Amino acid sequence: MNRIELTLGGNRIEDYTVVVKKPTEATVYAASELVKYLLKATGKALPVVYGEEERGAKRLIVLAHGQAFKDGFRLRFEGERLCLTGNNERSAIYAVYEFLERIGWRFFAQKASYVGVDHGPHTWECEKLLSEGKVDIPSDFSVEQEAVFDYRDGASFALNDEAFCVKLRINAQTWGSRDLARAQYGGARTFAGKGCEGHTFGKLVPIGKYGKTNPEFFAELDGVRKTEGVDWDNAPQLCMTNYASVPVALATMKEWMAQTPRAEYISVSQNDNRSFCQCASCRASYARYGYFGTLIRYVNEVAVGFAKAYPNVKIHTYAYAGTDDINDSVKAHKNVMVQWCPTRACRNHALNDRDCALNRATYGKLQTLSKVANEIFVYDYRHCLRYAMLNLTDLFTLRETMRTYAELHVKGIYSEVNIHALNQCTFEELRAYLFAKLVWDPYMSEAEYDRHINEFLEGYYGKGWRRIREYLDRWNSIDPKMHYTSFYGAMISDEGKYIRDEQGNARFAEFMPKEEVAPFCAWANGKFDEAAREADYGQKLRIEIARTNVVWYELFHRMEEVMRGDDEAAKAETTKRCRDLCSRMRRFMMKYTVYIGMTNTTYMYDDFSLPVSQWRYANDIAGGDPL
Ligand SMILES: [Zn+2]
Ligand SMILES: [Zn+2]
């Protein structure tokens, strides 16, 4: 562990006193973090005073905050005082971490990667002091930053720890997977209600309560109004042209606001299915406004009623499966925020890449959306739902994509990575770190982005980190022309259509020609071996976790052919490798597919000769897909 000799404008750090101007749970926490990390770095423990400034003491580090909506902060000297000032309580904590980063601290990874399991060997806290020797913060030092995106959240096992999320300036509490909203962390951006961040039609107008009395509130399918269904994902959609259900929705929304009065968003959005109403009135509306416009007209009705009582709460809705026919036929009410869920983005290319048909379409939809809605969020799927162990190739396109989101006036990003996974072999710690840096500042230079990657790799994988970087460089530039959907890893043509085999089945995860798979994987394994030679025990484990994606990839593409052949030695060797993959999955608590992985599926552990490509992955939705 490095130690530094720290001076502020030439003055020794031990001569300073920390002052918390307006003590709140958050600013007291900020001060304790400042003192803790200064002690670790310098060996000096600073006194802290609350409220009144210490009389007589000149050398102060003053923590202060305002009450603004937007996160941001200022760090600067006023005479011999160093003032760390947050726009709000949350960003007063960010100001402290920014200062700590300026003296050399880096917060790479959290302590525990999963809720309820604290003995896992897989991810440990990884925080490093990169500086050494004498460090001075000069008296003309001045930093001012403001968040580009107001809502910054990522669902990832690598972002489960609240204290770590605050270090990375993740500021929102989506789907209740952790408790970031507590006062200690300066609160978080939240949705009204409990678990009501989306798919809320069924909760706003429960079919259990109204199905029998008001069947006209609900979707007509095959000529019959639905009157039954659970009040959640599987409920039929609301009849979106019947505004008689709006008062019912409004009454539920008022209850939610009473339960969670600090909420800044409330969701009025479709259930997670495609059971949209086919009554004559809805069909006429779809013809004129599309599904999207029909939804916006309904949500606008709700917004008119809701905005009177809650003018500062944004009404969230989705443009998602079925309602993603985004068009400009209807302008959204000024308080309506639309969250676009692009399930067909290509991660091999940046969002603004004009040569990628999938991303051209996504870009166009966002552009249209930015004309009809005052506020846009993105529900960003940054993992392969079908193959959880598939390492996406977005390392060098992510910065450009995030910048493009910002340029298209996106105000919030919820990035979803391998939900329900305890651990993954797809560099999620690195990806979470980079996402957090970009969602704060998507306009960073390529050189800065590169620096973040390298600092992380060295901190996390140890002295042999350059070998890991070589692997990432090559994997992320395998074939600059290929396209695939991030959701299912389905291969896409230049025209934006599924690439199919002779039987008409969609092809998946074919990132390189078959004959290149074995040499590539041998090369990659060599790089992991070299990196492991210079690693300590913990770093070695991290390297083995990362290597698992190569083990999976090779078996996925080669095992079936070997097992169909008659080379018994090759079959035995491949079966052994499959056993190694399975033991890695158990040891490192990995899932091989997001959806199937939600249930207890261990059949592959009973027969290691079952080809990896024949495992049960997430449902094949590609067949009937309109692409
Ligand atoms: Zn209808
Ligand atoms: Zn593409």
Side-chain angles (χ1 to χ4, degrees):
M1 175 79 200
N2 293 350
R3 272 287 168 89
I4 55 169
E5 229 176 279
L6 178 63
T7 49
L8 305 185
N11 301 311
R12 299 183 312 172
I13 190 69
E14 55 266 42
D15 295 340
Y16 280 80
T17 296
V18 176
V19 177
V20 181
K21 267 204 162 172
K22 281 182 277 178
T24 64
E25 281 192 53
T27 51
V28 169
Y29 179 70
S32 72
E33 289 291 280
L34 177 62
V35 169
K36 178 172 109 183
Y37 285 100
L38 283 175
L39 176 64
K40 282 189 186 188
T42 66
K44 314 293 180 195
L46 268 54
V48 184
V49 297
Y50 300 98
E52 286 297 305
E53 291 176 15
E54 176 129 318
R55 285 174 218 284
K58 277 199 310 184
R59 291 181 183 151
L60 304 174
I61 302 177
V62 181
L63 306 190
H65 69 275
Q67 298 292 344
F69 171 81
K70 276 190 90 69
D71 297 341
F73 52 75
R74 291 188 309 281
L75 320 178
R76 68 168 172 239
F77 282 99
E78 287 173 11
E80 289 193 334
R81 294 176 176 194
L82 174 62
C83 300
L84 311 181
T85 310
N87 287 356
N88 53 39
E89 288 188 56
R90 193 159 53 224
S91 53
I93 310 176
Y94 302 162
V96 163
Y97 290 129
E98 177 69 24
F99 173 71
L100 291 170
E101 288 191 36
R102 296 288 169 143
I103 68 169
W105 277 108
R106 295 292 182 273
F107 308 104
F108 293 127
Q110 68 191 11
K111 196 166 191 169
S113 52
Y114 13 86
V115 181
V117 183
D118 56 13
H119 58 272
H122 316 308
T123 308
W124 303 262
E125 190 169 59
C126 183
E127 302 184 342
K128 304 261 162 158
L129 184 65
L130 302 188
S131 51
E132 279 181 285
K134 290 189 166 136
V135 174
D136 183 56
I137 301 292
S139 50
D140 61 353
F141 168 75
S142 174
V143 175
E144 189 159 356
Q145 293 184 17
E146 191 161 84
V148 172
F149 297 100
D150 295 334
Y151 190 102
R152 306 180 296 278
D153 198 7
S156 162
F157 67 89
L159 292 172
N160 277 346
D161 181 88
E162 292 94 355
F164 180 67
C165 287
V166 178
K167 286 171 180 157
L168 291 195
R169 303 175 196 171
I170 296 296
N171 75 338
Q173 171 70 29
T174 318
W175 297 119
S177 57
R178 44 174 146 73
D179 185 15
L180 193 58
R182 68 178 84 154
Q184 176 181 331
Y185 302 128
R189 303 216 189 280
T190 52
F191 279 70
K194 302 262 161 66
C196 299
E197 282 84 351
H199 304 309
T200 57
F201 272 2
K203 292 179 178 178
L204 290 167
V205 185
I207 197 163
K209 193 167 170 190
Y210 295 98
K212 298 281 186 282
T213 54
N214 300 82
E216 72 282 2
F217 287 174
F218 303 97
E220 179 187 309
L221 297 164
D222 301 322
V224 183
R225 291 279 173 185
K226 289 282 166 190
T227 58
E228 287 179 338
V230 294
D231 297 332
W232 174 223
D233 277 9
N234 293 322
Q237 307 292 353
L238 296 179
C239 174
M240 295 189 292
T241 54
N242 183 357
Y243 302 148
S245 61
V246 168
V248 176
L250 283 170
T252 310
M253 290 163 78
K254 279 180 186 155
E255 280 172 30
W256 292 355
M257 286 308 299
Q259 280 168 21
T260 48
R262 296 170 67 107
E264 291 167 309
Y265 306 92
I266 191 162
S267 182
V268 180
S269 52
Q270 69 199 63
N271 302 324
D272 200 359
N273 63 58
R274 289 182 184 247
S275 306
F276 288 99
C277 184
Q278 298 300 327
C279 77
S281 156
C282 281
R283 275 187 286 121
S285 180
Y286 302 150
R288 186 158 172 203
Y289 306 108
Y291 283 77
F292 173 75
T294 303
L295 167 73
I296 295 299
R297 282 166 57 85
Y298 182 87
V299 178
N300 280 352
E301 284 294 316
V302 174
V304 169
F306 188 75
K308 282 181 215 143
Y310 305 97
N312 298 319
V313 176
K314 294 275 158 56
I315 297 141
H316 160 271
T317 196
Y318 285 140
Y320 174 68
T323 57
D324 48 4
D325 56 342
I326 295 168
N327 61 71
D328 59 3
S329 63
V330 182
K331 180 122 175 58
H333 184 281
K334 66 179 171 52
N335 283 17
V336 170
M337 180 269 279
V338 182
Q339 186 166 33
W340 163 226
C341 313
T343 57
R344 299 289 183 277
C346 170
R347 289 291 173 186
N348 204 37
H349 297 109
L351 177 62
N352 61 349
D353 191 324
R354 305 304 295 166
D355 295 327
C356 176
L358 276 184
N359 290 353
R360 231 174 20 243
T362 300
Y363 184 96
K365 287 190 179 190
L366 262 179
Q367 226 175 7
T368 306
L369 199 51
S370 69
K371 285 179 204 141
V372 300
N374 276 347
E375 189 151 336
I376 312 171
F377 278 17
V378 170
Y379 199 113
D380 212 11
Y381 301 98
R382 288 193 50 232
H383 60 301
C384 185
L385 273 89
R386 188 178 167 94
Y387 308 116
M389 283 193 274
L390 179 66
N391 193 15
L392 299 187
T393 57
D394 70 348
L395 191 62
F396 303 122
T397 60
L398 184 62
R399 185 180 68 98
E400 191 89 359
T401 293
M402 295 286 279
R403 201 193 67 219
T404 306
Y405 282 146
E407 287 168 354
L408 289 169
H409 313 296
V410 172
K411 286 282 175 231
I413 298 187
Y414 170 75
S415 156
E416 196 173 85
V417 175
N418 282 325
I419 42 170
H420 310 295
L422 295 180
N423 195 12
Q424 274 311 329
C425 56
T426 42
F427 294 87
E428 298 310 334
E429 295 85 358
L430 169 66
R431 301 174 86 234
Y433 184 75
L434 295 173
F435 166 73
K437 293 286 179 198
L438 287 168
V439 80
W440 181 265
D441 178 18
Y443 296 106
M444 75 172 65
S445 68
E446 194 176 342
E448 187 183 345
Y449 185 63
D450 210 48
R451 174 173 68 77
H452 288 310
I453 296 173
N454 290 346
E455 284 181 354
F456 182 96
L457 294 178
E458 185 169 6
Y460 200 70
Y461 295 106
K463 290 199 185 79
W465 67 275
R466 283 193 178 80
R467 307 289 89 75
I468 306 287
R469 174 78 205 226
E470 282 175 60
Y471 162 72
L472 288 171
D473 282 347
R474 193 166 158 193
W475 176 255
N476 283 278
S477 49
I478 281 179
D479 178 356
K481 290 208 179 92
M482 74 164 169
H483 313 277
Y484 61 90
T485 68
S486 55
F487 219 63
Y488 284 91
M491 304 312 292
I492 302 294
S493 71
D494 287 347
E495 292 72 42
K497 305 282 179 200
Y498 282 112
I499 297 175
R500 297 175 188 278
D501 63 18
E502 279 153 21
Q503 286 78 44
N505 298 316
R507 284 163 41 179
F508 296 99
E510 293 177 18
F511 287 9
M512 61 184 88
K514 250 196 162 65
E515 65 277 12
E516 287 175 23
V517 171
F520 174 85
C521 292
W523 173 86
N525 274 312
K527 292 295 161 190
F528 287 115
D529 290 341
E530 284 173 41
R533 251 175 251 140
E534 294 183 76
D536 66 24
Y537 173 76
Q539 290 159 349
K540 270 195 178 72
L541 272 180
R542 291 174 185 156
I543 289 166
E544 288 313 313
I545 289 169
R547 186 203 296 268
T548 306
N549 87 73
V550 175
V551 177
W552 174 84
Y553 186 77
E554 181 167 15
L555 287 170
F556 179 82
H557 285 292
R558 300 194 63 236
M559 187 169 178
E560 204 171 320
E561 205 172 307
V562 173
M563 298 313 285
R564 267 206 313 263
D566 42 22
D567 183 340
E568 293 306 321
K571 282 188 194 176
E573 196 266 343
T574 304
T575 303
K576 198 161 147 270
R577 282 213 252 168
C578 187
R579 185 202 303 261
D580 168 53
L581 172 62
C582 290
S583 77
R584 282 166 184 272
M585 285 161 57
R586 283 189 147 163
R587 182 180 180 206
F588 302 137
M589 298 178 173
M590 283 173 190
K591 300 217 170 196
Y592 63 100
T593 172
V594 173
Y595 285 154
I596 305 286
M598 286 161 72
T599 56
N600 184 21
T601 48
T602 55
Y603 62 94
M604 79 283 279
Y605 300 136
D606 298 331
D607 177 10
F608 300 118
S609 68
L610 177 68
V612 170
S613 54
Q614 290 174 20
W615 289 358
R616 288 201 302 272
Y617 293 96
N619 298 338
D620 181 357
I621 59 107
D625 202 275
L627 268 185

